[in-house]
Amino acid sequence: MEHTDRFPDEVSMAGGRRRRRVLTTLAVATVLVAAGVGVAISKDGGPKAQEVSAHPDQSPPQDLIAAKRVAMSAYFTVQKLQGADGNGVVRYDWNLLDTESGEYRKTDWSWLDVAPGMKTAAVLPRELPTKRIGIVDLSSGDVQRWIGVPTGVGGVQFSPDGKKLLATSYSLNPDGLFKESSYYLNDKKVPGPKRSRSGFYVIDVSSGKAEFTAKPQKDDPQASVLAGGRADFRWGGDGRTVWEPARTKTGKARYRLDGTPAPVPQQEQKGLPASGLSPDGKLAMGTFVGDDKKVVSEVLDAKTGKRAAVVPGQQLLGWADNTTLVAWMCEVENCSPGKGEFRNRLVIVNVKDQKVTPLTGFREASLTYRGRWNPLFTER
């Protein structure tokens, strides 16, 4: 499985807009569970792998959200800030799970990721790029130690086994907005991002040893001005390759850890989404296939690439187990384009019986709402 157990999809992690389809009412039966499920805490301070921990009355969530093999380890909001000098920044504000209390706590880290098992998080200080990466204990919120790197980094991600970190290096703040790169937005000139990525570090978490591979962003005359800025590398599912978005058939360019091109995984050759395989490898997440009368997405057979099922869901995010998906779902009775489609909540969807169970309350019906929160899921 591609390393997205935390399944913040590539677009949302970049703060970008997703392509939206016409959405109205849901044409399949759903079962809405209104009552929240309490938080269970194990003796060692970590959340137990109970069936579901849901709080349909909370948006953003204050208490643990979990679904079988995964849990929401953190969530973030995004806002654009502009300074008096004409420059600005895209600011990510993170809330991180406190596993001792089962509650989400506001942090001042600029960027973070949570290790599989949900005991530690890798965090970056507010000012980017930074030459140090913090390792935080999720039960206390305290930094256990700092890992130093020779040049500044702006993004970090744990490997699938949690033993390594992938840190993307930049010479400028990847979330910075610069007046020299200004562009017009709604007839108004605004500061824009700059390309400054230089490569990536692969860091052994236990020893702190870091190995650097140079991999600057390539100039792309067809790309928009917004193609600059944050361009983090992501782990491949095997833990031996990394990838970045690219103008290829699969939408990605893959590399070995030394920076040389890596072969395309078999499931991508079939046209399947590499990040969407179920834990047993039998099914794969598909895309939205609804219309103006229903809100559904398809699930594919991982061997053939053919449709295996159609399930309720506006956007499938990842697998809670072999037959259960985490998804975004807009309000069943009101899912009109430009309005209700953005008023959505996290749910779990069963592939076999189509049952839908809400995990959270609804987000505001506005894509640009400052408090619009985005989840980070981690295998627990």
Side-chain angles (χ1 to χ4, degrees), residues 105-121:
R105 308 291 189 192
K106 185 176 181 179
T107 77
D108 195 37
W109 305 117
S110 66
W111 199 260
L112 62 81
D113 190 33
V114 176
M118 294 178 55
K119 293 185 181 297
T120 59

Side-chain angles (χ1 to χ4, degrees), residues 7-16 18 76 78 92 111 328 374-375:
F7 35 89
D9 69 354
E10 300 90 64
V11 177
S12 67
M13 288 297 287
R18 297 189 185 96
F76 66 90
V78 184
Y92 292 82
W111 199 260
W328 282 116
N374 302 273

Side-chain angles (χ1 to χ4, degrees), residues 7-302:
F7 35 89
D9 69 354
E10 300 90 64
V11 177
S12 67
M13 288 297 287
R17 174 189 289 266
R18 297 189 185 96
R19 181 172 178 265
R20 300 289 177 170
R21 296 286 301 273
V22 175
L23 305 172
T24 54
T25 57
L26 180 63
V28 293
T30 61
V31 179
L32 301 183
V33 180
V37 180
V39 175
I41 304 297
S42 65
K43 291 181 180 179
D44 63 359
K48 290 181 181 178
Q50 63 190 74
E51 284 297 292
V52 175
S53 179
H55 297 280
D57 60 335
Q58 296 181 7
S59 179
Q62 291 87 51
D63 302 299
L64 174 67
I65 299 298
K68 301 186 178 183
R69 64 186 283 270
V70 298
M72 193 174 85
S73 55
Y75 68 86
F76 66 90
T77 59
V78 184
Q79 60 176 314
K80 287 185 179 180
L81 303 176
Q82 189 164 349
D85 59 358
N87 294 326
V89 67
V90 178
R91 178 183 169 109
Y92 292 82
D93 291 305
W94 293 84
N95 285 261
L96 183 62
L97 180 67
D98 177 340
T99 56
E100 184 68 26
S101 67
E103 299 175 341
Y104 296 98
R105 308 291 189 192
K106 185 176 181 179
T107 77
D108 195 37
W109 305 117
S110 66
W111 199 260
L112 62 81
D113 190 33
V114 176
M118 294 178 55
K119 293 185 181 297
T120 59
V123 301
L124 302 183
R126 178 57 66 184
E127 296 300 320
L128 298 178
T130 179
K131 292 184 178 181
R132 60 178 191 162
I133 301 168
I135 303 299
V136 169
D137 182 343
L138 261 65
S139 65
S140 67
D142 296 332
V143 177
Q144 296 176 323
R145 61 194 176 92
W146 291 97
I147 297 174
V149 287
T151 59
V153 298
V156 65
Q157 185 193 26
F158 278 100
S159 60
D161 61 9
K163 296 180 179 180
K164 293 183 175 64
L165 286 170
L166 176 64
T168 306
S169 60
Y170 298 90
S171 59
L172 299 172
N173 185 344
D175 303 318
L177 301 173
F178 305 91
K179 57 186 178 183
E180 308 97 274
S181 300
S182 293
Y183 66 102
Y184 283 93
L185 178 65
N186 298 327
D187 298 324
K188 181 181 179 181
K189 196 173 184 180
V190 296
K194 280 186 177 182
R195 290 178 180 161
S196 72
R197 192 187 72 192
S198 56
F200 61 87
Y201 289 95
V202 175
I203 304 167
D204 181 82
V205 175
S206 61
S207 68
K209 182 181 178 181
E211 295 186 4
F212 180 74
T213 297
K215 207 70 178 175
Q217 287 168 271
K218 295 180 180 179
D219 290 330
D220 185 352
Q222 299 182 33
S224 71
V225 64
L226 298 179
R230 183 170 291 279
D232 291 355
F233 287 98
R234 310 290 293 173
W235 282 105
D238 56 7
R240 297 190 297 272
T241 58
V242 301
W243 62 266
E244 64 174 332
R247 292 180 180 273
T248 64
K249 183 178 179 180
T250 62
K252 298 175 182 177
R254 293 185 173 273
Y255 309 98
R256 299 180 182 89
L257 299 188
D258 62 1
T260 58
V264 177
Q266 184 178 4
Q267 65 268 24
E268 286 189 50
Q269 295 177 19
K270 298 177 184 178
L272 293 174
S275 60
L277 291 181
S278 59
D280 61 8
K282 295 181 178 180
L283 298 174
M285 293 188 301
T287 58
F288 178 80
V289 292
D291 52 30
D292 59 351
K293 295 182 179 180
K294 55 187 176 180
V295 183
V296 292
S297 295
E298 66 179 351
V299 175
L300 308 174
D301 183 294

